[in-house]
Structures are given as structure tokens and as C-alpha cells.
Amino acid sequence: AFNAILAAFRLPKGTDDEKKARADAIEAANRGAIEVPLRVMETALESMKVLRGMATDGMAQSASDAGVGALCARSAVLGAGLNVRINLSGLKDADAAARYRARSEELTAQAIAEEKEILALVEERL
């Protein structure tokens, strides 16, 4: 996603048409640089369903693994969220930026809550 941003910034900007094409390419590349980490956030959050199952129904000896997985998944969500936030500044569409920010914040809150719940389940089995 970052390479697309670099490529867009390298486009010619001598004429009005080139400037417009370059600006459109930069905007599209910025959207991609936001959407990729948003998908990472969604996927990492989705993995917590498996981890919850491990914490409740898995082997008692692997309960701590479910906890470690929850810690890692939350870190993946929060880390990808940082990438979303840093790329929002390059987006000219303020409405889209607000939607992306809200989605990122929603996923972050869900991941934090899921981690807490999974760790509580793990603690019960230790």
C-alpha cells in the first residue's frame, strides 16, 4: 500500500490534467493505505473468536496459549490502527476520513474488550 503512495507522488505534475491525475492517484493510494490496515484490524479481531473457543473449550494445558494469542491479536489490532490513523492525514475526503477513523476506533474498542474477556476466561482455567 505504501508503494502505491510513493508511485502516485512520482507522477508528473506539469499540466493541469497531470496534476489532477496525480491528485486522484494520491487520494486512491491513501485510501488503500488506510484500507489495508483496516482489514488487518478486522482479521486480527476475527481471530479472537478462535481464541475465545480455545480459552473455554480447549485443552486446559493450552489455556495460557489462548491468553497469549489474545494479547497478540489485540496488539495487531492496535498496531494496525496506528497505521490507519497516520494515513488519515493524507486523505482529502474529510467524510471518508471520519468514517475510517470511526471504524478504526470501533475495532480497537472491540479488541480491547475481547482481550479482557478472553484473559478472564484463561485466568479461570489456570
Side-chain angles (χ1 to χ4, degrees), residues 18-31:
E18 288 176 341
K19 287 176 186 176
K20 170 131 178 43
R22 181 177 181 269
D24 291 347
I26 290 169
E27 185 78 355
N30 277 325
R31 283 180 186 268

Side-chain angles (χ1 to χ4, degrees), residues 40-82:
V40 170
M41 294 176 81
E42 292 166 347
T43 301
L45 182 61
E46 186 70 20
S47 76
M48 290 180 142
K49 290 179 184 176
V50 174
L51 296 165
R52 178 182 288 276
M54 285 177 61
T56 57
D57 301 323
M59 293 175 29
Q61 299 86 340
S62 68
S64 62
D65 295 334
V68 171
L71 294 168
C72 292
R74 184 213 27 116
S75 293
V77 171
L78 272 61
L82 293 174

Side-chain angles (χ1 to χ4, degrees), residues 4-5 8-9 20-35 87-97 100:
I5 291 174
F9 273 102
K20 170 131 178 43
R22 181 177 181 269
D24 291 347
I26 290 169
E27 185 78 355
N30 277 325
R31 283 180 186 268
I34 293 165
E35 291 169 359
N87 289 314
L88 287 173
S89 64
L91 202 60
K92 300 242 187 272
D93 183 342
D95 290 337
Y100 286 134

